[in-house]
Amino acid sequence: PTIFFQALSLTWALFNFWKMTSIKKMLLPTLVTDGVNGEAALLPPRYTIDEIRNNFNSSPSMFAWGEQFFTGGGAKTSPPRNEHEELFGAVGAKFEEVYRDSMRFSTWLCVALIVYSTTQIVFRDMAALYLHSANVGNPEGLVPELIVWIIFTASAVFQLSLAPTTFLNYCFVTSVEEYVKYNIVQEVMREEELCET
């Protein structure tokens, strides 16, 4: 079960990171420069071009079934309401809620793996090595076990290091283009105008 949880956690963290990053790239405008005159132009986000958006797939087949299963049908029951939501793939309009929870649970799984690995295995094995404990059941297996669990812990720390960037990309993806809440923007602008006078 340990290898299963390690593989699940690593795959989950990498998929969340990849999905948020690839969707963010589709939503960013592209800056192009003229190499001769140094003039720059800002092109619209790639998702606004039908051909590029139609070729984009943020739910590869091996993950699409899982996304649909965990969302109760995903895009089939909650179809995308606009071009922006088409980028979310198999989860459709449920993206915001589903991936917020996905990142939360993935992060907690990483933390649990780190805590378990270090407190239950790594510290115990290091103490046995340091104290030359005679109570070790399999002295020949102690060092290999310690190395494997240190690798597991390092993997979980790596996954946890992806969480901040994944979360920032999620915040970007769920707050630009067709997700902009214009009433909030207008309210802030009105408040700013009142403060200036």
Side-chain angles (χ1 to χ4, degrees), residues 129-186:
L129 279 174
Y130 179 72
L131 299 174
H132 305 290
S133 178
N135 297 334
V136 175
N138 181 9
E140 294 81 29
L142 185 64
V143 172
E145 178 186 61
L146 180 60
I147 292 170
V148 167
W149 281 95
I150 287 174
I151 292 170
F152 286 164
T153 304
S155 170
V157 169
F158 166 72
Q159 296 164 48
L160 197 57
S161 74
L162 295 176
T165 303
T166 304
F167 179 70
L168 288 173
N169 288 341
Y170 167 83
C171 290
F172 178 85
V173 163
T174 58
S175 62
V176 299
E177 293 296 321
E178 296 182 43
Y179 266 72
V180 173
K181 295 171 179 66
Y182 289 103
N183 58 338
I184 294 173
V185 172
Q186 290 170 348

Side-chain angles (χ1 to χ4, degrees), residues 7-85:
L8 173 70
S9 181
L10 180 61
T11 304
W12 193 356
L14 288 173
F15 180 71
N16 281 345
F17 178 79
W18 171 81
K19 185 157 185 135
M20 298 307 142
T21 303
S22 61
I23 294 172
K24 179 183 177 184
K25 287 180 181 178
M26 289 292 287
L27 292 166
L28 285 172
T30 305
L31 180 66
V32 291
T33 58
D34 177 6
V36 179
N37 300 330
E39 294 181 18
L42 196 59
L43 300 178
R46 287 185 265 177
Y47 89 99
T48 59
I49 302 167
D50 291 336
E51 185 178 338
I52 294 174
R53 188 179 64 255
N54 292 335
N55 290 330
F56 179 74
N57 183 10
S58 68
S59 297
S61 59
M62 60 189 254
F63 294 103
W65 68 267
E67 289 182 324
Q68 288 178 346
F69 175 77
F70 288 113
T71 59
K76 292 179 182 176
T77 58
S78 297
R81 297 171 292 205
N82 53 48
E83 293 175 346
H84 187 142
E85 287 184 351

Side-chain angles (χ1 to χ4, degrees), residues 90-168:
V91 294
K94 294 183 175 182
F95 177 83
E96 195 169 357
E97 175 187 340
V98 168
Y99 272 90
R100 181 186 60 235
D101 291 343
S102 176
M103 289 183 301
R104 182 184 307 150
F105 294 137
S106 174
T107 302
W108 279 111
L109 178 59
C110 288
V111 170
L113 289 171
I114 291 169
V115 170
Y116 175 76
S117 298
T118 56
T119 62
Q120 298 299 312
I121 310 293
V122 173
F123 290 160
R124 179 198 69 196
D125 288 356
M126 290 178 78
L129 279 174
Y130 179 72
L131 299 174
H132 305 290
S133 178
N135 297 334
V136 175
N138 181 9
E140 294 81 29
L142 185 64
V143 172
E145 178 186 61
L146 180 60
I147 292 170
V148 167
W149 281 95
I150 287 174
I151 292 170
F152 286 164
T153 304
S155 170
V157 169
F158 166 72
Q159 296 164 48
L160 197 57
S161 74
L162 295 176
T165 303
T166 304
F167 179 70
L168 288 173

